[in-house]
Amino acid sequence: MIKPPPLAGVIGNPIGHSKSPKVHGHWLRRYGIRGQYLPLHVTDQDLEQVIRALPKMGFVGANVTIPHKTSTLQIADQLTDRAILIGAANTLIFREDGKIYADNTDGYGFIANLKQGAPHWNPKSGPAAVLGAGGAARAIIVALADAGVPEILLSNRTRPKAEALRAEFGTRINVVDWVQAGNMLEDATTVVNTTSLGMTGQPELRVPLDGLRPDAVVTDIVYSPLRTQFLAQAEAMGCTVVDGLGMLLHQAVPGFERWFGLRPEVDDALRKAVLG
Ligand code: ATR
């Protein structure tokens, strides 16, 4: 009997905007792998039933996106430490013993993107300044701390959310008032926008950037537009800038490797395929 091709997909609501099918579709074609990666529109109510059914239909795994990243933790049978720490999962592996294993690769994607886009980046060279304290910030803070940054300066419009992350993730985080956010950039050698500001249709990030150090590595999680005003201004000040698309591409690597058995490359051809 011929074995059916392995299936994977991305579970979310809405799902039409997800770029993951383009990412995995490109890799499947590029490496000539007999497999499929599908967008799966799933409501909160159906989430558990769908996740439990997928392995029975030939799925080897799935990505999970908004709004299911947190609730998936309750459904999976086994969680990685980083998924527990971040409080969210984005990658599921359906094991042959029937168990559902959940990981979070967002922090990995963030670091891999910086390493590729700014090969000289040294997380230990100075404090990291993080703008925003939402869901994306959690994975990035965990990843930065793990990479060895000596201090994380964290600023968020709603200050108590930043304080809560400090309480959860430790004293290496220092909270800075949102109106003072420009000042914290003066010491930082890594600067990250984790807010949705600057995204097409959203207001611009208004934090004054004149304090940025020219040797800072500056990155944005926003990738639409690819070159946000934040990155354009940082580049004009001599900083090394890394756009947010790479984080999305790199976070997909561990899942693809586990499901389809080959570690895929993040290169220009992939970026073109995803943007096109
Ligand atoms: P995500 O999961 O992508 O991080 P989120 O949890 O909704 O999304 O967080 C969005 C981030 O953008 C938050 O840090 C949010 O600040 P608040 O916690 O004060 O809401 C930030 N953000 C969104 N709109 C903003 C605005 N107009 N000004 C400042 N910060 C904003």
Side-chain angles (χ1 to χ4, degrees), residues 66 132-137 156-158 161 178 194-197 202-203 221:
I66 291 164
N156 193 51
R157 173 182 60 175
T158 312
K161 278 167 73 175
W178 187 241
T194 77
T195 74
S196 46
L197 296 172
Q202 296 284 322
I221 65 155

Side-chain angles (χ1 to χ4, degrees), residues 122-195:
N122 174 7
K124 301 189 171 96
S125 63
V130 176
L131 300 161
R138 293 179 67 88
I140 288 170
I141 287 169
V142 168
L144 284 170
D146 211 35
V149 297
E151 183 188 8
I152 296 172
L153 301 163
L154 177 63
S155 188
N156 193 51
R157 173 182 60 175
T158 312
R159 187 178 167 117
K161 278 167 73 175
E163 305 276 9
L165 290 185
R166 180 177 195 273
E168 195 175 339
F169 294 129
T171 48
R172 224 194 300 172
I173 299 175
N174 283 311
V175 175
V176 177
D177 219 73
W178 187 241
V179 290
Q180 300 289 328
N183 297 345
M184 76 177 181
L185 306 181
E186 288 169 13
D187 293 329
T189 52
T190 308
V191 179
V192 192
N193 174 38
T194 77
T195 74

